[in-house]
Amino acid sequence: AQSVTQLGSHVSVSEGALVLLRCNYSSSVPPYLFWYVQYPNQGLQLLLKYTTGATLVKGINGFEAEFKKSETSFHLTKPSAHMSDAAEYFCAVTSRGLIFGTGTRLQVFP
Amino acid sequence: GAVVSQHPSWVICKSGTSVKIECRSLDFQATTMFWYRQFPKQSLMLMATSNEGSKATYEQGVEKDKFLINHASLTLSTLTVTSAHPEDSSFYICSAQTGQIYEQYFGPGTRLTVT
């Protein structure tokens, strides 16, 4: 069965600092992996996805993630945080529909 | 392209009544649609999978008689919460799949409050 685990329900960084949100997956088949962002009282916005091919995936708003099969990880990074990045971030893997992680709330301090 | 809409965006209903939520793919045909629910400060949980013209497949623990799903066309799926109770208050989000499983597009969600 497919699953994802997000380490750290809350992450706080200073504006301009590196953002690292962790996601590990479990899948019995080659996974398709996703990162979504959700702002308060809004729906989901796709940041990026990995299907096949290049393991370093670049997304919107300067985010990127690297698929590491040996580590079963798909961590999300951004070199320099902006205040507007403060939101809830979800990692997901395909199954029936998508299986979502529990989410990581990113806070950005000035 | 690939826009999914939901209507209404928010609804308040009284306990015991039923409420219908629509999910539409506006510029593509969706072979499969999914319904999720999200409780406050929690993650999204898949409720059911619906394919056009066939019965929905519900996840374990989801009451199919309470959450009626109809996928009448390739662009419309509806979720009806029957005999709603306060514990059904939640954020309901649909997604539509165009072809491959990784080509899913999410609607903006519907916030249901049952009083």
Side-chain angles (χ1 to χ4, degrees), chain A residues 15-94:
Chain A
E15 192 173 21
L18 171 71
V19 175
L20 171 60
L21 305 182
R22 300 177 185 274
C23 173
N24 288 88
Y25 70 90
S26 173
S27 179
S28 55
V29 297
Y32 299 136
L33 294 159
F34 306 79
W35 275 101
Y36 286 89
V37 61
Q38 185 178 37
Y39 295 97
N41 299 311
Q42 294 188 28
L44 298 177
Q45 182 178 8
L46 178 66
L47 283 175
L48 49 80
K49 65 184 177 188
Y50 168 78
T51 55
T52 58
T55 56
L56 181 62
V57 182
K58 294 187 183 298
I60 63 172
N61 301 339
F63 285 94
E64 62 182 36
E66 186 170 12
F67 171 66
K68 292 187 176 181
K69 184 177 179 180
S70 62
E71 299 178 8
T72 62
S73 68
F74 190 57
H75 301 331
L76 181 71
T77 60
K78 182 174 180 178
S80 178
H82 292 167
M83 297 294 290
S84 60
D85 294 327
E88 188 85 19
Y89 291 80
F90 293 98
C91 181
V93 64
T94 46

Side-chain angles (χ1 to χ4, degrees), chain A residues 1-6 22-29 31-36 44 46 48 74 89-103, chain B residues 34-38 42-49 58-60 95 97 101-102 104 106:
Chain A
Q2 281 73 266
S3 67
V4 290
T5 301
Q6 291 183 241
R22 300 177 185 274
C23 173
N24 288 88
Y25 70 90
S26 173
S27 179
S28 55
V29 297
Y32 299 136
L33 294 159
F34 306 79
W35 275 101
Y36 286 89
L44 298 177
L46 178 66
L48 49 80
F74 190 57
Y89 291 80
F90 293 98
C91 181
V93 64
T94 46
S95 180
R96 291 185 302 278
L98 295 181
I99 304 296
F100 286 86
T102 50
Chain B
F34 303 92
W35 287 95
Y36 299 81
R37 68 185 299 180
Q38 184 181 29
Q42 295 189 27
S43 187
L44 285 80
M45 299 297 293
L46 180 66
M47 298 175 66
T49 302
Y58 291 82
E59 295 299 303
Q60 189 174 7
S95 72
Q97 179 181 317
I101 185 65
Y102 51 80
Q104 281 193 44
F106 282 83

Side-chain angles (χ1 to χ4, degrees), chain B residues 45-78:
Chain B
M45 299 297 293
L46 180 66
M47 298 175 66
T49 302
S50 75
N51 292 291
E52 185 264 340
S54 61
K55 291 184 178 180
T57 301
Y58 291 82
E59 295 299 303
Q60 189 174 7
V62 177
E63 299 175 60
K64 63 180 180 181
D65 294 330
K66 180 170 187 60
F67 298 100
L68 300 180
I69 292 173
N70 183 277
H71 195 154
S73 75
L74 288 172
T75 59
L76 173 64
S77 177
T78 60

Side-chain angles (χ1 to χ4, degrees), chain B residues 73-113:
Chain B
S73 75
L74 288 172
T75 59
L76 173 64
S77 177
T78 60
L79 168 67
T80 301
V81 184
T82 62
S83 187
H85 289 97
E87 56 266 31
D88 298 324
S89 298
S90 189
F91 196 45
Y92 292 88
I93 303 175
C94 73
S95 72
Q97 179 181 317
T98 59
Q100 298 292 332
I101 185 65
Y102 51 80
E103 294 291 346
Q104 281 193 44
Y105 301 92
F106 282 83
T110 296
R111 184 162 303 283
L112 169 64
T113 301

